[in-house]
Amino acid sequence: MEEGATAVGPLTGVRVVELAGIGPGPFAAMVLADLGADVVRVDRPGSPGGLRIDPDHDLANRNKRSVLLDLKSEAGVAAVLDLVERADILIEGYRPGVAERLGVGPDACLARNPRLVYGRMTGWGQEGPLAQSAGHDIGYIAVTGALSMIGAADGPPVAPANLLGDYAGGSLYLVIGVLAALQHARAGGPGQVVDAAIVDGTAHLTSVIHGMMAAGGWRDQRGTNLLDGGCPFYGTYETADGGHMAVGPLERKFYAEFIELLGIADRAPARDDFDSWAALRTAIADRFKQRTREEWTAVFGTSDACVAPVLSLREAPAHPHLAARSTFLDHGGITQPAPAPRFSATPGAVRRAPARPGADTAEVARDWGVTSLGEGSPS
């Protein structure tokens, strides 16, 4: 669906203004758009865009519309505030104080729309010693302790791309925050500011681990615990062709099926004997090296052994289970993940290709009834 498409999803009717940025802010706005919200991205003249790639491939901008406004001009700021007056949510990802200096900070926006939910996406938060410092995902997850858990015991910590900080600890916590604040506002409460800091969200993600550590069930040492690669039956193993299999049969009955299908049930060291874990790891590794990834995938199939092939990003869409669920889809010639989660009555959908900067100004002006958009656009 493209131009003229009817909005679908549980957030149909919710209006969102996104002040263009990079990383977790745009992704959070994409999640809202996937779920049916009418997201208008305010791009700035001369900006290369979010990922500095061809806008047609910037999937964080799918399902959105874009207007081009100069926030350094009075007309541009006035146009943004006119949008704000009609919006439910605003999202911005500037350093603390920048939105205020531009004239589109919380005070100015809430004065125009007291029910507005003003979502702020930053790495360090709105206050604290590092609030004005530059940063990226790897630094945020480093100081929260999350990065320290990832990697082999005898190697350095390994960054999991920017999924853990930017998108899990950042974007998704911003989505949770603005939707909770929207519920509050629609129940009769006032609008408010949501301070979504990646350090806060990422720290929150480690809550269960902190509980395990306090109970003596988790060592503060990478690669020595049940879920961080320290356990021989929770990790990855190389196959004969250089591929890898992911292994995770933590429960006894699943483990029994695992070693039976692997073919080492008659010689595997006892799983509960920690002193034998090194020998068990070696036995598992040696056996996996005897067949290819495809052969092992066929062996474990749909069993309860909790074993899966480690697929690349390009391979993942063809996995039989993901294909059957349409977890990935093709839109505009780009294979991409489908909206998630799923709703039985109000399913989300990819309705529009990534918005090109300024391409939808006239359409948004008509639909939102904001005639000042033309005045605030660069000449």
Side-chain angles (χ1 to χ4, degrees):
M1 296 182 287
E2 287 292 340
E3 186 175 348
T6 302
V8 293
L11 295 183
T12 297
V14 173
R15 286 179 166 179
V16 180
V17 174
E18 175 198 351
L19 303 184
I22 60 173
F27 187 83
M30 184 207 78
V31 172
L32 297 174
D34 282 355
L35 299 181
D38 181 3
V39 177
V40 172
R41 178 179 169 95
V42 178
D43 285 295
R44 301 173 70 174
S47 172
L51 294 178
R52 293 172 173 80
I53 60 174
D54 182 345
D56 289 341
H57 292 85
D58 191 348
L59 292 180
N61 288 327
R62 74 184 187 187
N63 283 335
K64 303 177 184 178
R65 296 187 287 182
S66 170
V67 300
L68 205 60
L69 295 173
D70 183 1
L71 297 187
K72 294 185 178 180
S73 72
E74 291 184 5
V77 171
V80 169
L81 293 177
D82 284 344
L83 288 170
V84 163
E85 187 174 336
R86 295 157 174 80
D88 299 289
I89 297 168
L90 179 142
I91 289 175
E92 61 94 354
Y94 303 138
R95 289 199 201 188
V98 171
E100 284 85 347
R101 290 195 293 274
L102 289 172
V104 292
D107 290 346
C109 289
L110 286 167
R112 287 291 293 271
N113 182 355
R115 294 290 180 85
L116 180 73
V117 173
Y118 193 105
R120 315 198 81 167
M121 182 76 262
T122 61
W124 303 113
Q126 295 299 311
E127 67 277 324
L130 295 176
Q132 292 294 336
S133 300
H136 282 293
D137 176 290
I138 194 168
Y140 308 140
I141 67 174
V143 302
T144 60
L147 181 59
S148 73
M149 298 187 292
I150 306 171
D154 57 354
V158 177
N162 66 331
L163 300 178
L164 177 55
D166 280 353
Y167 298 136
S171 302
L172 298 187
Y173 274 86
L174 177 59
V175 169
I176 292 169
V178 297
L179 292 182
L182 179 62
Q183 166 63 21
H184 176 74
R186 290 193 164 181
Q192 59 184 303
V193 177
V194 177
D195 176 4
I198 295 173
V199 289
D200 295 347
T202 304
H204 192 259
L205 288 169
T206 67
S207 297
V208 173
I209 302 298
H210 276 278
M212 295 172 66
M213 190 163 58
W218 188 278
R219 296 179 63 192
D220 196 16
Q221 182 179 348
R222 183 173 57 261
T224 63
N225 297 286
L226 187 66
L227 302 175
D228 66 356
C231 171
F233 44 93
Y234 198 88
T236 58
Y237 290 91
E238 187 176 359
T239 56
D241 58 343
H244 290 85
M245 299 296 289
V247 171
L250 296 176
E251 295 81 358
R252 291 183 181 278
K253 62 179 181 179
F254 301 153
Y255 177 81
E257 187 166 352
F258 164 64
I259 58 173
E260 182 66 35
L261 290 174
L262 189 63
I264 62 170
D266 60 340
R267 61 183 184 277
R271 61 167 267 164
D272 293 334
D273 181 3
F274 293 168
D275 293 335
S276 298
W277 271 15
L280 177 57
R281 188 186 305 277
T282 298
I284 295 173
D286 289 347
R287 182 61 177 146
F288 270 118
K289 288 294 286 283
Q290 294 176 19
R291 295 185 181 180
T292 66
R293 189 188 70 177
E294 184 177 353
E295 290 172 331
W296 283 120
T297 299
V299 167
F300 289 101
T302 58
S303 73
D304 282 342
C306 302
V307 176
V310 178
L311 303 181
S312 71
L313 291 173
R314 292 191 185 278
E315 292 174 316
H319 185 276
H321 183 78
L322 303 186
R325 288 181 56 81
S326 298
T327 299
F328 291 84
L329 54 81
D330 289 302
H331 190 274
I334 303 176
T335 299
Q336 55 195 279
R342 304 181 185 206
F343 298 82
S344 61
T346 55
V350 176
R351 308 179 302 280
R352 291 174 173 263
R356 297 191 68 85
D360 310 295
T361 300
E363 185 179 282
V364 172
R366 179 197 68 208
D367 293 348
W368 284 45
V370 179
T371 57
S372 59
L373 287 182
E375 300 171 5
S377 300
S379 57

